[in-house]
Amino acid sequence: MYHTIYISPIGPLRLVSDEGGLRQLWLPNEIEEKICPQGWKEDADFSINRLIAARLDDYFAGRRVAFDDLPLAPHGTPFQQAVWQRLLTIPYGEISHYSIIAQQMGKPKAVRAVGGAVGRNPISILIPCHRVLGRDMSLTGYSGGLPIKRALLALEKIAYRP
């Protein structure tokens, strides 16, 4: 694995990738909590890390609204992968709800399982779990903390109920 720190307006992010694509994006609180395993190589010049950093520059500057051209390669169960694929369909500046995602997947009773998969998304921001709100438009949990979620929603001009 190749990793690097990307300095963003919401704090430092760790990009973790290999030849297959971006595997993880650690939010600021995760950088504080996690330790890179032995054998990982710090490399800001690794091609995927450079590409992701450039796309994040564009996102935070308001010039990029989609990431469908990126080599995203998160590890997860087939169900988690299906939920993360569904998250990728939520357009910039729009939101969804856990129940809607469950219905779209043909599993309307799997709302809690969808919530669990959303919470385990290893590539936050690029797989936009911050765009998932409660049915009443309230903020729900976010692995990076609610202040980060609020900042991302503000960047995309998404209204929510405080």
Side-chain angles (χ1 to χ4, degrees), residues 139-142 144-151:
L139 291 182
T140 53
Y142 189 65
L146 291 181
I148 299 288
K149 185 169 186 168
R150 284 185 195 101

Side-chain angles (χ1 to χ4, degrees), residues 6-95:
Y6 170 82
I7 303 301
S8 81
I10 61 170
L13 308 174
R14 183 176 304 280
L15 310 178
V16 181
S17 59
D18 63 16
E19 290 77 9
L22 183 71
R23 300 293 179 177
Q24 301 173 29
L25 186 153
W26 297 5
L27 297 167
N29 65 317
E30 294 171 309
I31 289 174
E32 293 174 9
E33 298 168 0
K34 295 180 179 182
I35 298 172
C36 291
Q38 201 167 15
W40 282 19
K41 182 180 178 189
E42 188 159 1
D43 189 350
D45 289 326
F46 183 65
S47 61
I48 292 173
N49 289 342
R50 276 196 330 265
L51 174 65
I52 300 298
R55 293 302 195 276
L56 286 169
D57 284 345
D58 288 344
Y59 172 76
F60 286 114
R63 295 186 303 264
R64 175 161 289 274
V65 298
F67 300 106
D68 51 357
D69 63 334
L70 294 178
L72 304 179
H75 287 259
T77 67
F79 182 79
Q80 289 170 333
Q81 295 280 347
V83 170
W84 301 336
Q85 286 299 311
R86 183 61 57 186
L87 293 177
L88 288 168
T89 68
I90 305 170
Y92 180 95
E94 296 184 24
I95 57 101

